[in-house]
Amino acid sequence: GIPVGAFTSGQLLTTQWDARPLYGRSLGRPGATGSVKLNTGYGDVCYVPNPIVLRKTLAWSWSSFGYQTDTNQGWSPQAVYYDLWYQTQDLVPGTVVAFSACPSVGGNFTNASMILVYGACSSQRSDLLAVWNSSQCNTGNASDAWSSLVVPVTTRNLRIRIATLVDAPSRGTIVTSVSADECGGNKPYTQRLASAPYVFFDTNGFTPSTVPPEQCAGSSLADIWMQLSPMSSGTTARFAFSINSGAGTAFISAFGSCSPDAVAVACWNSTTSTGQQPPLLMPAGVPIALRISGGVGYFDTNYYLSGDGCGSTGTSNGITVPGTFYFNLDGATSAGSSVSSTRPIFNDVFFVTEVFLPGTVLVFTPFCDNFTTPDPTMFAVYTSCNTGTRPLAEWNSSMCSPGTTFIVVVPNGGGQLWIRVGSANDTLGSGSFSVDLANGDECSTPATWLVGLSGGTQVSYDVTPATPSPIAGPGCFNSPSADLWLAPQLFSSGTKLTVSVSSTTYGKAFVGVYSSCDAAAAPLACANQSQYASVDAPGGQQLVLRIASPLRTGTVTLSVSTGDSCQYPSSPNAIVFPGRFFFNTAGADSSIMPAEPAMNNDVFFTSQTLLEGTIVTLSLCGQFGGSISSNGTVVVALYANLGCQAWMVPVLWNSTMCNTQPTVSVTVPSGGGSVFVRIGSASPAVYSSGYFNVTTMTGLACDSAPVVRTNPYLGKIIWTNSALMPNSTTAAPSCGPAYGPDLWFEIKRLSSGTAVDAYLNQLGTVAFYSGCATPELVCGNRTAIYYRAIANGFDPLIGRIRAPGAQSVSLSVSGDECSSQNVLALPGQFYVDTTDMTTSSGTIVPEVPIMAYHDIWFTTQPILVGSVISISACDLVPTLNASLEMAVLKSSCANWGSLVAYWNSTMCAQSPLFTFTAPSIATGLTIRLGTSGYNSTVQGVFRIDVQFATTGIVTSGARVTTAAGTTSTGTTSTGTTSTGTTSTGTTSTGTTSTGTTSTGTTSTGTTAIGTTSTGTTSTATTGTSAF
């Protein structure tokens, strides 16, 4: 072998070793003696590691014999013992490093081991980048043999720790691979556009690449590759870098692809001083491959990309119109933008155009389908970068629809334009847009114009390059002339517009407003310089403005007088209920209404005067004739005849409720009046459009009762005011006045056994019926008392309110919680609907490890022990392919040991019946029914049958139904069959009944919950009985 070094007595030899055996040979005079000291002082701790130079692929040996455990210089997910530390050379961000010691890939180890890779020497868990465990070799999956990481920008080099998982040393071989040796191997690295951090590089250990061929260094040098995220159009880059002393000259070249014929788009070298490094144009929309050839060094802080600020080319990205342009907000900051905007713009990039003549029309087309920003993408166009400069035009991606374009007219004086693209919130993303030069020369290809709803918008025009259109001129045109066509956004129903035009000379400009491009189309309105023309905009229909001026230049103004606010200086859009109406919040400001939650970019509508008691129901949901086009949540507020007051309190609804509550209703109060509709967005800078459908129902008779939907969690409030309503001709409710106006309403179909409690908030009467020609179920006329009606699930439940004036009735329903259960009388067939149910908190039954979503609760009458209950529920099919879940309890809501039986619909394959035996209980069974899916619900009919036991144990005071139909109430009856007739109407409580039948008189009338009569039989004629 060749000696790695030699030394004589008194000398020190330092050498780097690679885990092979080390042989020492001593040469001296015969009989000479002495000692050799061997000190391996590297690798035992993180701060003094063994150096390792990684390559494209490298297998290197290691041994932890003689090393101790380092317990405080690296966090580990489990206990480790003998450990050994290595440090790599500097690796560029985005480098993928893979490592393994599995024999299947060429590695080995003698004891169970871990490889832990850190970004720094610390005990912080966040500094651990990746872990390999020798157990990964045993999975049988080849890909499991490897662990990998991507070098982050905050890491300069890696610390590799090899440790045993047992209290014994180990040795073996590690196999590593590094992606930076070839073009395109690294993950894209997002470089900040300005004030870039240091990036360190080290080409040692790497080989010269041949694809693409070297084009900057002049000869083949060892090189490494970085990959940068796609850059915006017009981005220029400057790579200023330094080389370590004695490391030679380094070169950097940039490529737009890794193909063999790729041509370097830029070259830099380390011999050029920082100030002389030229900024060079980068390819747009594709990852940039950077080749670093030769040397060891770093990019300094003068390494930057353009686009992060508003300024000349080099600061802003220079573009030439027309064209399609790519933007990427990755790496952009929100600092340095001194220009202003109506709404905040974050993480913005700037583009600067060439110089334009005055009156040039630019048409912007955002390709919103390929925008990746999670929040609306914001656009603003400026005429300068001076501090406080207001935008010439603004829009955002929430206003997009197929074919949407936006027009910008270069103002007097001409010049460059600066285009600012960013995010509505502090988020990132990319996309593209085009800018074309257009003059709107034809009606069929108008220039798009976004008009502000708060007052209107004025733009300058120049018809110089335009030609006369074949459409006949309106009556206010003096003579045919070159014309320009502009298309504003679609306006909401009821919007009123005013259009005016001016030119450089009085009386020489004309404007017409059209709704069609037919050759014989007549304008809806026409005005010249001395006139204003008013237009009622057809909701959702495109309008086009035709501008003609023999003197070529001037301004046109489109003013909007309605829709942007509820009161002066604007007014609501006037619409006539019922009907289907278009809304569009594009161009709208945000109104301030302190009495309600914030709403952004809102538009207002008002109805005609409606009769008192009219129920107005509105929906934006497709199943009720509405539609929504929005990138966010649409919010609706309904106001009933309270005028445009800042303190008025509306009924609120939003578009996330279409699946649970697709409609929202209000009742016109005392005196009648108008209903106001306000539509906006829950988030700023989000515009929406679509249709809302409005129906009206008076509710003056049972057969015209509107259907209302109750919410088991929030309840429902029914409002009415009968001061101007006509007296009803229907027979009076049993507990109410003989004459008076009625408001009728029908409650959406409820599950069987649901208790509906009505609470009068003011003096009046409330009654419930199971149909329009059925006997009264319950009637109440006192406040502070709940009046209860029970829904059987099959007949309608219709409410009736009779009050002398303003009245509101609060409704609440049972079944949503264990503490408020629906009562079922077994046996029987029952209806269930969990659409409006919430999910009970916690796993109510500890023995059943399930969470039943949108669950409903039922309870039964007491049943003798030994009775066999069979439930047929296999015909119930939950939505979203979920399973039905059912738990039966001993009439308990949260006690361990209360479970009687558990079933789910997957068991239907074995049996169509869910059968179990009643336990020894006193107060009946509790049934919880829900689904396994988070948003899943169920509707349908199920059946419960009971084979009643004839002998059992009954706890004192319980009312139990037996097979013979006898109701036995009293002390404990053991071993005796209770037979006889059924006790009807009255339960004798507190008296022992042994062997006899307890009978009584039916108590009829209205049940008022709140007072309990116990111990005696309560017998009454028709009237009110409190219990």
Side-chain angles (χ1 to χ4, degrees), residues 341-354:
S341 60
T342 303
R343 301 174 180 87
I345 301 178
F346 299 90
N347 305 320
D348 46 4
V349 293
F350 283 84
F351 303 86
V352 59
T353 70
E354 69 270 38

Side-chain angles (χ1 to χ4, degrees), residues 846-872:
E847 299 98 321
V848 182
I850 65 164
M851 170 63 77
Y853 296 97
H854 294 284
D855 52 344
I856 189 168
W857 295 80
F858 300 96
T859 187
T860 72
Q861 78 272 30
I863 302 174
L864 280 174
V865 60
S867 297
V868 178
I869 295 98
S870 297
I871 302 179
S872 174

Side-chain angles (χ1 to χ4, degrees), residues 455-466:
T457 302
Q458 181 184 88
V459 297
S460 301
Y461 65 83
D462 184 352
V463 298
T464 300

Side-chain angles (χ1 to χ4, degrees), residues 492-527:
S492 300
S493 299
T495 302
K496 290 188 177 296
L497 309 173
T498 301
V499 64
S500 62
V501 66
S502 67
S503 70
T504 53
T505 302
Y506 175 81
K508 294 298 183 180
F510 310 91
V511 60
V513 181
Y514 293 75
S515 61
S516 170
C517 290
D518 293 340
L524 302 178
C526 182

Side-chain angles (χ1 to χ4, degrees), residues 657-738:
M657 302 163 66
C658 269
N659 292 328
T660 58
Q661 186 178 329
T663 64
V664 59
S665 301
V666 294
T667 302
V668 178
S670 175
S674 300
V675 170
F676 293 84
V677 181
R678 182 186 182 197
I679 302 178
S681 172
S683 303
V686 175
Y687 295 133
S688 309
S689 63
Y691 286 88
F692 61 96
N693 195 50
V694 179
T695 59
T696 58
M697 184 172 291
T698 62
L700 297 179
C702 182
D703 58 6
S704 66
V707 178
V708 299
R709 190 170 186 167
T710 57
N711 185 308
Y713 179 70
L714 299 176
K716 181 75 174 182
I717 298 179
I718 306 295
W719 298 86
T720 186
N721 192 317
S722 59
L724 297 180
M725 294 168 62
N727 286 333
S728 174
T729 59
T730 306
S734 63
C735 64

Side-chain angles (χ1 to χ4, degrees), residues 3 88 115 401 567 615 949 1018:
T88 69
I115 305 173
S401 60
Q567 53 190 350
I615 298 177
S1018 176

Side-chain angles (χ1 to χ4, degrees), residues 149 171 279 344 362 489 548 562 634 704 719 804 814 887 903 928 948 951 1002:
L149 62 96
R171 65 167 57 94
L362 280 71
Q489 75 269 32
T562 60
V634 177
S704 66
W719 298 86
S814 64
W903 175 90
R928 182 191 186 196
F948 291 103
T951 302
T1002 301

